[in-house]
Amino acid sequence: MIPQIRAEIIKVRSTRTTLGLVLGMIAIILLFVILTAWLTSVGEMSGREQQRNLFAIGSFAGLFAALAGIMLVTGEYRFGTIRPTYLFTPKRSLVLVAKVVAALIAGFVFALVGEILSVGVGGVILDERGISVALSHHDYTLITIGTLIGTALWGGIGVGLGMIVRNQVGAIIGILAWGFVIQNLLFNLVPSVGRWTPDQAQNGLMGLTDAHLLDPGVGGATLVFWTVVICAAGAVMAARRDVN
Amino acid sequence: MPPVVRAESLTKRFGNLTAVDDLSFVLQSGTITGFLGPNGAGKTTTLRMLLGLARPTQGNALIFERPYAEIEQPALRIGAVLEATDFHPGRSGRNHLRTLSAAAGIPDSRVDEVLKTVELDGAANRRVKGYSLGMRQRLGLAGALLGDPELLVLDEPANGLDPEGVRWLRDFLRSFAGSGHTVLVSSHVLAEVAQTVDHVLIISRGKLVRESRLDELTAGMGGAVRVRSPEAGKLREALERDGIASTEASGALYAQGTTSERVGEIAAASGIVLHELRVEQSSLEEVFLELTSEKPE
């Protein structure tokens, strides 16, 4: 098991894909943090609700972790390296587990960067505007845990999704459409269903306060559940399907 | 000694298409076997089943008497290259090999060794996107050699190689097999492997049409052994006494329906000097084409 994980970590680190994702993530998180912290009125920004939302922007890392997970699998199919990968490790479930572990680690690192940006840069801007932080220690803890664990799990979800879809472009378009459109629509139109999506489960885990969100514990469990289900489906499909 | 590779009634269907049809063969240790057939005959599908990448519809594909997926640390016993292009273009050749060696617990020092073997040590830290096709072929081969395998399986390794590359590959495979290792190499061009292999498996439309030693391929198929001798007349009579017909053309004799061994033995028994003795290439090619041509049903 450990050799396979090492191999997957070398894969993550030996192309520029990961670096590109991290740079893209930094740019987007910085943009949202700066816009939110500067442009929201002092009155609104002084409230806990809005400060929570600001510091949770780091969880945007989840999308990039999911993309990294997707590429770790679909890149192998796109460039054919899946053949040597399976020749060296014919137990395909072992390859999948190793990829999930590598993606969890990558996701965790992504989340650290995102968290430092949102809390650090967001905090500096609030300070600059003379707004005092209204969040409690508990609020901070939930946002941090939710960002770190949630983002890591998104890496795993990306791996499972990549195994199911295999086509790189299809999987990327799918996760973008889901994250930006479908799950948002679902949550806004039918919140009783939409809150169970992995996206809103993570928002629940971070302690965000929309009335419809799940409690942090239930949200975390729901996100873990989705990760396990999607990866298990990916493992079943990987075992059954021929490699061309 | 048990065979290295064993295909038992191997069959693969894709919907209505039968890509591999009840194929059975064995490969013995220490042989170089050419796996031949036209494009689309089912060679790659057969190799994919042997290597555990595709599941047979029926039958068994065994290496060292086991399905590939059940072999412990397969990379330490079997090296295989299915496509010459299986690399991430943005990864260096050396890092590509490291992703494989790490999975098999092979030390990095072995990565540098195989890079030297395939003469890529100078380009090892460059990204694969800058490699020529010949370099990619050699990098693929380096990956197959990482585990110092006993069996090498190569799918169309000469595709896209220049003559120098083909020659390099031929020399490499000979020295590999010379140390008692086994090679299975597929090709759709017999001439490409005729100087390398000692056995041939010929398939056409998923079925095995011929399994033989290369030098016996022409026997009984109207093939010819080309032989030159300063005593051509005497040799011709000696062959005739043994029931072997021959014709004379452009300064050489063409003995029909025999093997180069037999002609050599007859010449030696009669004390006849030979200047040349070989199975005529064109007739090998003719046999191949005859065996694999599409016959109306």
Side-chain angles (χ1 to χ4, degrees):
Chain A
M1 165 64 84
I2 299 298
Q4 275 72 27
I5 295 173
R6 272 196 57 216
E8 294 304 327
I9 290 173
I10 294 173
K11 284 175 195 170
V12 171
R13 295 184 48 185
S14 59
T15 71
R16 293 183 188 173
T17 306
T18 314
L19 182 65
L21 285 173
V22 170
L23 292 178
M25 176 188 83
I26 290 173
I28 285 194
I29 290 177
L30 271 182
L31 181 73
F32 282 120
V33 166
I34 292 169
L35 289 181
T36 308
W38 271 119
L39 299 183
T40 310
S41 68
V42 172
E44 211 181 324
M45 201 69 248
S46 302
R48 265 177 84 191
E49 175 79 27
Q50 192 56 34
Q51 290 188 4
R52 217 186 253 121
N53 287 340
L54 172 67
F55 292 152
I57 288 174
S59 67
F60 225 89
L63 172 66
F64 291 89
L67 289 176
I70 286 172
M71 295 213 202
L72 190 55
V73 178
T74 58
E76 295 239 42
Y77 283 97
R78 182 174 167 199
F79 298 116
T81 49
I82 192 71
R83 281 180 282 266
T85 293
Y86 282 159
L87 288 176
F88 274 67
T89 310
K91 292 194 177 61
R92 298 181 186 177
S93 54
L94 196 56
V95 172
L96 181 107
V97 171
K99 283 184 184 297
V100 169
V101 172
L104 291 177
I105 295 171
F108 193 81
V109 174
F110 281 31
L112 274 179
V113 175
E115 181 71 1
I116 289 167
L117 286 177
S118 60
V119 175
V121 176
V124 167
I125 296 174
L126 292 194
D127 195 48
E128 197 72 13
R129 296 178 72 192
I131 300 169
S132 57
V133 173
L135 293 183
S136 67
H137 185 70
H138 181 67
D139 293 331
Y140 269 124
T141 308
L142 279 180
I143 287 173
T144 306
I145 289 178
T147 299
L148 294 180
I149 294 181
T151 300
L153 290 174
W154 274 109
I157 290 175
V159 169
L161 193 66
M163 277 289 179
I164 295 168
V165 179
R166 290 192 291 187
N167 179 285
Q168 190 159 64
V169 176
I172 291 173
I173 289 175
I175 195 111
L176 292 177
W178 170 262
F180 287 107
V181 183
I182 301 168
Q183 66 86 16
N184 270 325
L185 278 179
L186 199 59
F187 185 63
N188 287 316
L189 298 178
V190 200
S192 59
V193 177
R195 62 183 180 165
W196 295 100
T197 60
D199 312 69
Q200 299 302 335
Q202 187 184 5
N203 285 340
L205 172 63
M206 288 191 295
L208 302 193
T209 46
D210 185 292
H212 297 292
L213 287 175
L214 300 168
D215 290 338
V218 181
T222 303
L223 193 53
V224 170
F225 169 80
W226 277 116
T227 309
V228 171
V229 166
I230 292 170
C231 289
V236 169
M237 291 198 164
R240 292 171 62 124
R241 290 191 292 209
D242 287 351
V243 175
N244 286 325
Chain B
M1 220 155 107
V4 175
V5 175
R6 183 199 294 276
E8 292 174 334
S9 306
L10 204 51
T11 301
K12 182 72 179 180
R13 286 190 204 97
F14 300 104
N16 286 330
L17 177 83
T18 304
V20 177
D21 193 356
D22 197 28
L23 191 61
S24 297
F25 63 85
V26 296
L27 299 190
Q28 299 296 340
S29 176
T31 55
I32 308 188
T33 303
F35 189 36
L36 304 166
N39 286 328
K43 300 186 300 290
T44 302
T45 304
T46 302
L47 297 182
R48 281 168 49 214
M49 288 191 282
L50 283 172
L51 297 167
L53 295 176
R55 194 189 294 248
T57 311
Q58 271 162 36
N60 294 310
L62 305 174
I63 298 186
F64 301 119
E65 301 291 64
R66 297 174 128 183
Y68 188 91
E70 290 172 19
I71 300 169
E72 283 298 315
Q73 290 277 33
L76 302 184
R77 303 193 70 189
I78 302 142
V81 185
L82 283 173
E83 295 273 342
T85 51
D86 287 345
F87 312 106
H88 191 297
R91 193 175 280 140
S92 72
R94 188 164 189 280
N95 277 334
H96 170 74
L97 295 179
R98 284 180 63 229
T99 67
L100 299 175
S101 63
I106 296 167
D108 278 1
S109 58
R110 177 66 186 158
V111 169
D112 294 321
E113 259 173 51
V114 295
L115 281 166
K116 218 164 256 154
T117 306
V118 302
E119 297 167 21
L120 273 180
D121 37 334
N125 292 321
R126 272 167 42 203
R127 293 197 281 163
V128 173
K129 71 168 73 159
Y131 283 20
S132 68
L133 183 54
M135 291 165 81
R136 287 170 200 231
Q137 295 271 23
R138 281 182 282 145
L139 181 58
L141 192 57
L145 293 175
L146 274 173
D148 193 15
E150 304 153 52
L151 167 67
L152 205 49
V153 179
L154 305 175
D155 195 15
E156 300 274 358
N159 258 8
L161 287 189
D162 54 20
E164 196 189 341
V166 173
R167 187 176 161 175
W168 182 90
L169 182 70
R170 190 165 66 219
D171 292 346
F172 172 80
L173 290 179
R174 274 190 187 152
S175 80
F176 182 83
S179 40
H181 295 146
T182 311
V183 179
L184 177 60
V185 53
S186 82
S187 179
H188 65 285
V189 187
L190 174 60
E192 233 169 40
V193 296
Q195 294 180 56
T196 312
V197 305
D198 45 35
H199 286 74
V200 288
L201 290 168
I202 300 178
I203 66 168
S204 176
R205 288 192 283 180
K207 285 192 160 90
L208 187 67
V209 291
R210 192 72 193 266
E211 180 180 14
S212 86
R213 289 174 53 95
L214 180 69
D215 50 15
E216 287 166 358
L217 188 57
T218 52
M221 296 294 296
V225 175
R226 177 185 154 96
V227 53
R228 281 196 308 119
S229 166
E231 302 163 278
K234 207 172 143 193
L235 176 61
R236 202 166 170 181
E237 282 162 23
L239 289 171
E240 250 162 46
R241 280 198 297 280
D242 225 66
I244 297 167
S246 60
T247 52
E248 197 164 355
S250 54
L253 278 182
Y254 291 85
Q256 311 294 331
T258 184
T259 65
S260 51
E261 282 90 341
R262 192 74 203 114
V263 173
E265 282 159 16
I266 291 168
S270 314
I272 296 169
V273 171
L274 297 186
H275 286 170
E276 183 183 345
L277 175 65
R278 66 181 168 98
V279 175
E280 186 62 1
Q281 281 298 326
S282 61
S283 50
L284 263 183
E285 208 62 51
E286 277 160 24
V287 172
F288 179 57
L289 286 173
E290 191 183 321
L291 285 169
T292 57
S293 60
E294 302 273 315
K295 291 177 193 107
E297 288 184 356

mmCIF file of all heavy atoms in Angstrom, chain A residues 3 48 51-52 79 116 119 133 189 208:
data_model
loop_
_atom_site.group_PDB
_atom_site.id
_atom_site.type_symbol
_atom_site.label_atom_id
_atom_site.label_comp_id
_atom_site.label_asym_id
_atom_site.label_seq_id
_atom_site.Cartn_x
_atom_site.Cartn_y
_atom_site.Cartn_z
ATOM 1 N N PRO A 3 3.974 1.759 -0.986
ATOM 2 C CA PRO A 3 4.648 2.045 -2.275
ATOM 3 C C PRO A 3 3.712 2.701 -3.279
ATOM 4 O O PRO A 3 4.107 3.646 -3.969
ATOM 5 C CB PRO A 3 5.087 0.658 -2.767
ATOM 6 C CG PRO A 3 5.167 -0.177 -1.548
ATOM 7 C CD PRO A 3 4.152 0.347 -0.588
ATOM 8 N N ARG A 48 -21.223 38.909 12.780
ATOM 9 C CA ARG A 48 -20.638 37.562 12.779
ATOM 10 C C ARG A 48 -20.912 36.826 11.474
ATOM 11 O O ARG A 48 -20.042 36.162 10.919
ATOM 12 C CB ARG A 48 -21.256 36.749 13.918
ATOM 13 C CG ARG A 48 -20.436 36.762 15.193
ATOM 14 C CD ARG A 48 -21.174 35.993 16.262
ATOM 15 N NE ARG A 48 -20.929 34.558 16.173
ATOM 16 C CZ ARG A 48 -21.618 33.648 16.861
ATOM 17 N NH1 ARG A 48 -22.600 34.019 17.647
ATOM 18 N NH2 ARG A 48 -21.336 32.381 16.743
ATOM 19 N N GLN A 51 -18.719 37.974 8.644
ATOM 20 C CA GLN A 51 -17.305 37.644 8.908
ATOM 21 C C GLN A 51 -17.066 36.152 8.714
ATOM 22 O O GLN A 51 -16.026 35.733 8.197
ATOM 23 C CB GLN A 51 -16.926 38.071 10.328
ATOM 24 C CG GLN A 51 -16.870 39.586 10.464
ATOM 25 C CD GLN A 51 -16.316 40.036 11.800
ATOM 26 O OE1 GLN A 51 -15.894 39.214 12.616
ATOM 27 N NE2 GLN A 51 -16.313 41.338 12.018
ATOM 28 N N ARG A 52 -18.069 35.369 9.134
ATOM 29 C CA ARG A 52 -17.964 33.916 8.946
ATOM 30 C C ARG A 52 -17.851 33.597 7.449
ATOM 31 O O ARG A 52 -17.024 32.803 7.023
ATOM 32 C CB ARG A 52 -19.199 33.260 9.545
ATOM 33 C CG ARG A 52 -18.913 31.945 10.212
ATOM 34 C CD ARG A 52 -20.209 31.311 10.638
ATOM 35 N NE ARG A 52 -20.412 31.357 12.064
ATOM 36 C CZ ARG A 52 -21.437 31.947 12.667
ATOM 37 N NH1 ARG A 52 -22.367 32.550 11.956
ATOM 38 N NH2 ARG A 52 -21.553 31.922 13.960
ATOM 39 N N PHE A 79 -3.536 10.215 -21.101
ATOM 40 C CA PHE A 79 -2.190 10.032 -21.641
ATOM 41 C C PHE A 79 -1.769 8.568 -21.687
ATOM 42 O O PHE A 79 -0.635 8.261 -22.071
ATOM 43 C CB PHE A 79 -1.183 10.852 -20.829
ATOM 44 C CG PHE A 79 -1.457 12.328 -20.891
ATOM 45 C CD1 PHE A 79 -1.807 13.034 -19.758
ATOM 46 C CD2 PHE A 79 -1.394 12.994 -22.107
ATOM 47 C CE1 PHE A 79 -2.081 14.391 -19.825
ATOM 48 C CE2 PHE A 79 -1.656 14.354 -22.185
ATOM 49 C CZ PHE A 79 -2.003 15.057 -21.036
ATOM 50 N N ILE A 116 -5.159 30.144 5.159
ATOM 51 C CA ILE A 116 -4.235 31.228 5.524
ATOM 52 C C ILE A 116 -4.599 32.503 4.765
ATOM 53 O O ILE A 116 -4.613 33.604 5.320
ATOM 54 C CB ILE A 116 -2.776 30.807 5.233
ATOM 55 C CG1 ILE A 116 -2.353 29.732 6.255
ATOM 56 C CG2 ILE A 116 -1.833 31.999 5.292
ATOM 57 C CD1 ILE A 116 -1.056 29.020 5.898
ATOM 58 N N VAL A 119 -8.332 33.859 6.116
ATOM 59 C CA VAL A 119 -8.281 34.384 7.484
ATOM 60 C C VAL A 119 -7.223 35.482 7.597
ATOM 61 O O VAL A 119 -7.470 36.538 8.185
ATOM 62 C CB VAL A 119 -8.010 33.247 8.494
ATOM 63 C CG1 VAL A 119 -7.839 33.820 9.907
ATOM 64 C CG2 VAL A 119 -9.154 32.245 8.471
ATOM 65 N N VAL A 133 -13.032 41.962 15.014
ATOM 66 C CA VAL A 133 -13.515 40.614 14.716
ATOM 67 C C VAL A 133 -14.513 40.171 15.774
ATOM 68 O O VAL A 133 -14.251 40.241 16.971
ATOM 69 C CB VAL A 133 -12.327 39.632 14.643
ATOM 70 C CG1 VAL A 133 -12.829 38.209 14.505
ATOM 71 C CG2 VAL A 133 -11.426 39.997 13.481
ATOM 72 N N LEU A 189 -33.938 26.017 -4.369
ATOM 73 C CA LEU A 189 -35.316 25.649 -4.700
ATOM 74 C C LEU A 189 -35.882 24.631 -3.714
ATOM 75 O O LEU A 189 -37.023 24.732 -3.294
ATOM 76 C CB LEU A 189 -35.394 25.090 -6.130
ATOM 77 C CG LEU A 189 -34.985 26.073 -7.236
ATOM 78 C CD1 LEU A 189 -35.043 25.418 -8.604
ATOM 79 C CD2 LEU A 189 -35.885 27.316 -7.188
ATOM 80 N N LEU A 208 -21.586 27.527 9.013
ATOM 81 C CA LEU A 208 -22.294 28.666 8.401
ATOM 82 C C LEU A 208 -23.741 28.603 8.857
ATOM 83 O O LEU A 208 -24.258 27.549 9.234
ATOM 84 C CB LEU A 208 -22.176 28.617 6.877
ATOM 85 C CG LEU A 208 -20.749 28.631 6.317
ATOM 86 C CD1 LEU A 208 -20.759 28.889 4.822
ATOM 87 C CD2 LEU A 208 -19.896 29.687 7.015
#
